[in-house]
Amino acid sequence: MYTDEPPDGMTELDLHPLGLGTWQNTDPEECAESVQTALELGYRHIDTAQAYGNEDAVGRGIAESSVPREEVFLATKVDTANLSYDDVHETTQQSLERLRTDYIDLLYVHWPTETYDAPETLQAFQELYDEGVIRHIGVSNFEPRHLDEAREILDAPIFANQVELHPYLQQEELRAYAEDHDHHVVAYSPLARTSVLDDEVLRDIAEKHDASIPRVTLAWILDIGVAPIPKATSGEHIRDNWGAYDVDLDDEDHERIADLDRGHREVDFAGAPWDN
């Protein structure tokens, strides 16, 4: 479980608890500026993906910030169309060029779908890890059976599983699996794509703590040992999300939020990993 305070320093093994998500942040100037703003404020975990079409802007934001590259935990994901052995190698090199870096801290398999073939895909990831091109291997949207298979194939440990997680989808099974097998859970769409903003329970808790609903929601996610990566573009939202560290939820708050779980997904489609 993460502590309430972000770490003072980082090593290559650290995953900064609260990160900046960049999904749909496709305006190059706005994206680069948001990354730079977040880093100057104190964020150190930046998340992107080949599919987002903004790796170049993310790389520019990092390069133009005052934060040294070695203090940034940079994660990206290999697109589902690029998961064949050769394509993993080729497109990861392209990601490196766009991100203006010679290594990636955490490289994810974005989804175990389309061109994903566990032995072939993961062999390529293992080789990139062995070569030092990537510091950690991650997976995204994996269910326990996919994680079991990946652990059998890989020599390197799985570092993180990135999944949709918020008060309405609390992912207890995957959190328990992560604890049992010693890897992180990273939460995308931690604000349920703004759905939490209309929640009366969360509004009541927020008023109790004189905080915003996003701060309360992110504080809860941090408290349960998960690393949220909320998407934010404006400086106001980036700063407000960072204020989650100032929210001290009590047991009653946690009980009320736990009762909100209803297994609701914002991201779902025919053939999704949880349906097969």
Side-chain angles (χ1 to χ4, degrees):
M1 182 175 292
Y2 294 118
T3 60
D4 290 334
E5 295 296 331
D8 292 330
M10 292 184 65
T11 71
E12 70 176 33
L13 298 178
D14 289 328
L15 174 66
H16 199 287
L18 178 58
L20 178 72
T22 61
W23 176 71
Q24 288 190 331
N25 195 349
T26 54
D27 180 273
E29 295 302 321
E30 186 176 58
C31 182
E33 183 177 352
S34 66
V35 169
Q36 185 175 358
T37 296
L39 291 174
E40 301 290 350
L41 184 63
Y43 287 74
R44 292 296 180 269
H45 176 189
I46 306 295
D47 182 271
T48 184
Q50 293 175 353
Y52 298 171
N54 62 10
E55 287 180 321
D56 184 70
V58 169
R60 181 155 59 90
I62 294 172
E64 293 177 356
S65 78
S66 63
V67 179
R69 168 66 184 93
E70 60 270 18
E71 294 183 14
V72 178
F73 192 98
L74 176 59
T76 193
K77 310 173 196 74
V78 179
D79 191 18
T80 53
N82 300 330
L83 291 170
S84 69
Y85 174 86
D86 288 337
D87 285 346
V88 169
H89 278 283
E90 180 178 349
T91 64
T92 298
Q93 290 300 320
Q94 293 168 356
S95 290
L96 289 168
E97 293 173 8
R98 289 190 292 265
L99 290 165
R100 308 181 188 198
T101 184
D102 57 4
Y103 69 95
I104 294 166
D105 295 280
L106 177 57
L107 185 68
Y108 291 99
V109 175
H110 204 155
W111 293 83
T113 59
E114 294 191 41
T115 60
Y116 177 72
D117 176 82
E120 181 178 322
T121 301
L122 296 174
Q123 180 185 349
F125 271 69
Q126 180 69 53
E127 290 173 0
L128 291 170
Y129 174 87
D130 291 340
E131 294 164 4
V133 175
I134 63 177
R135 298 284 177 86
H136 302 292
I137 294 174
V139 296
S140 186
N141 301 297
F142 274 42
E143 293 292 296
R145 66 186 181 279
H146 304 110
L147 291 162
D148 287 340
E149 180 182 43
R151 290 176 56 248
E152 289 179 3
I153 293 169
L154 289 166
D155 292 328
I158 293 173
F159 184 77
N161 184 20
Q162 184 178 135
V163 297
E164 180 182 348
L165 187 151
H166 44 71
Y168 307 138
L169 182 66
Q170 299 187 14
Q171 300 281 22
E172 289 190 13
E173 181 181 17
L174 290 175
R175 285 159 46 203
Y177 188 105
E179 185 172 354
D180 289 342
H181 297 284
D182 196 27
H183 65 250
H184 294 285
V185 175
V186 176
Y188 71 77
S189 297
L191 304 179
R193 299 195 173 176
T194 74
S195 293
V196 298
L197 300 182
D198 297 320
D199 192 280
E200 293 182 3
V201 171
L202 294 172
R203 181 179 295 112
D204 187 46
I205 295 172
E207 290 175 355
K208 171 183 171 181
H209 292 277
D210 192 24
S212 68
I213 290 176
R215 286 188 180 191
V216 164
T217 304
L218 297 172
W220 168 76
I221 293 174
L222 291 167
D223 281 353
I224 64 172
V226 173
I229 49 168
K231 174 218 172 182
T233 53
S234 72
E236 178 183 1
H237 287 155
I238 291 169
R239 284 187 291 273
D240 186 59
N241 290 343
W242 190 248
Y245 286 118
D246 298 325
V247 178
D248 186 15
L249 301 177
D250 58 30
D251 290 343
E252 180 186 8
D253 300 328
H254 275 274
E255 290 172 5
R256 296 182 70 189
I257 295 174
D259 288 340
L260 296 176
D261 192 9
R262 54 178 182 258
H264 169 74
R265 293 183 182 276
E266 294 288 334
V267 181
D268 202 0
F269 55 91
W274 41 85
D275 289 335
N276 295 322

